[in-house]
Structure formats: C-alpha cells, structure tokens
Amino acid sequence: MVIDSQPDLLVVGEAGDGLSGVHQARVSGPDMVVMDVQMPVLNGIEATRRIQALPSPPKVVVLTTFDLDEYAVAAIRAGASGFLLKDAPPEEMLTALRAVHSGDAVLAPSTTRRLLDQLAPALDPHAVRLMAALTAREREVLTAMARGWRNAEIAQRFNVTEGTVKTHVSQILAKLGARDRVRAVVLAYEAGVVRPGER
C-alpha cells in the first residue's frame, strides 16, 4: 500500500515465500525487490543471494523486524543494497527505496555502527589486494565514504567539485568490483583501510 501510493513507484509482483520471490524476480524483471528476512520455504537471505545471481539482477532492500547483526551482515554479503527495520516510518522506507534505486545504499542507523564493528577485526586478504589498486586520493574518498560523508561534504573537504567526487566514487566502485557504496565501505573495513572509532 505504501509503495503503490507513490506516483513514481509501482508494485509489479508479490510473493509469499522466498522461492516464489526468486521466481517473481526472474519473471517480472523489477528494478528493485523488497525482501523479508523471515520467509517460508526459502529465507530472505538465500533468496537475495539467488536473485543477485540472475542476469542483470534487481537491487534488493531487506526488511526485518529483528535488529540483529548477523542478519545485516548476511544480507550485505548476499548482495543486498539496503537493510531496514520494519518499524521504520513509511517516509523513511520510501526515501531508502529511492536512494537504493538511484545507486546509493542504505543501512538502518541502529545497525550501522555495530555492523562495522563486527566487520572490522579480521583483515580479508582479498580486500587488502583490491585496495592496492586505488590511488591515494581514491583511498581518501573511500575513507570519507566509510565515515558516512555525502558527496557534497567530500567535495568541500577536498576542495573539488561534486562531479569530481562522483568520478572518484565510480572509479572506486569499478576497481573494487563493488555494486554500490555499502559494499565498497564493507571492503574498506575488511581491508583495514578504516577502523571503528577513527575520525
């Protein structure tokens, strides 16, 4: 109801379980899937993983009533571009869906800090190797992204235009093989480029 009430959004399919959700995504070819974590037959995390394996997969926003770190980590590793709690106000959910559709990524604020703390301790050798491909400026921009800065704030900090920042972000995503900013930031933490509590 909330999504269909918006002039720029349209529900093209619904499914009552994860397996049907994967089938709907394959048949309907939506731009985005809103996925519940707790689904019968196939849970939302595995359904997200299978949807992301489709040719030209849609972006996935995972909704859950449970603010548990393992769900957030699993959702992002499965390829989700957003992780929100069901008790978020409708306006917040709609803003998040539009942000994800435009190429950004969204995490429930209550989850973000704990998620990054959980990802930080172990360095991933693969992530470390990927970081080696970045220029010094790209690492600085990635660090700013990891701190939650918007493009305008990064531009002001480095005294460049927003267009230049967008170019840096695109290069970072391409070099890291990351679909969006959340995955790039996760890699930054896994590689130890950014650590929790750093300013």
Side-chain angles (χ1 to χ4, degrees):
M1 284 171 47
V2 171
I3 293 172
D4 265 340
S5 71
Q6 303 300 299
D8 59 329
L9 300 174
L10 175 67
V11 176
V12 296
E14 296 182 58
D17 64 75
L19 198 58
S20 297
V22 175
H23 175 73
Q24 277 286 343
R26 186 182 295 113
V27 172
S28 302
D31 297 316
M32 186 179 318
V33 172
V34 179
M35 180 71 71
D36 193 348
V37 166
Q38 297 290 330
M39 299 275 281
V41 184
L42 187 70
N43 70 55
I45 303 300
E46 181 57 31
T48 296
R49 189 174 290 111
R50 293 188 189 186
I51 287 171
Q52 290 306 298
L54 296 174
S56 302
K59 293 171 180 173
V60 177
V61 175
V62 172
L63 293 179
T64 181
T65 52
F66 308 101
D67 188 11
L68 299 177
D69 300 337
E70 60 264 29
Y71 286 152
V73 172
I76 290 168
R77 291 200 190 283
S81 296
F83 180 84
L84 296 174
L85 302 181
K86 286 184 184 176
D87 63 2
E91 301 77 26
E92 187 177 311
M93 183 186 76
L94 292 169
T95 298
L97 293 179
R98 291 184 176 105
V100 169
H101 183 264
S102 68
D104 214 337
V106 178
L107 286 175
S110 61
T111 307
T112 306
R113 175 82 271 146
R114 295 193 322 274
L115 172 63
L116 296 180
D117 288 346
Q118 183 172 335
L119 289 171
L123 294 185
D124 182 327
H126 175 67
V128 172
R129 282 193 299 276
L130 288 174
M131 293 299 146
L134 301 182
T135 66
R137 176 47 60 93
E138 286 166 352
R139 286 173 71 98
E140 290 173 338
V141 171
L142 178 58
T143 299
M145 289 164 53
R147 292 178 180 142
W149 295 6
R150 299 178 187 275
N151 286 353
E153 295 170 311
I154 298 172
Q156 185 176 15
R157 170 67 176 84
F158 296 120
N159 198 26
V160 296
T161 66
E162 277 193 64
T164 299
V165 173
K166 286 180 181 177
T167 299
H168 284 313
V169 171
S170 294
Q171 288 294 324
I172 291 166
L173 297 183
K175 288 181 179 181
L176 299 183
R179 271 188 73 194
D180 54 42
R181 289 168 82 112
V182 161
R183 253 169 311 289
V185 168
V186 167
L187 285 168
Y189 274 85
E190 289 179 336
V193 171
V194 184
R195 307 297 286 177
E198 288 183 348
R199 299 288 177 200

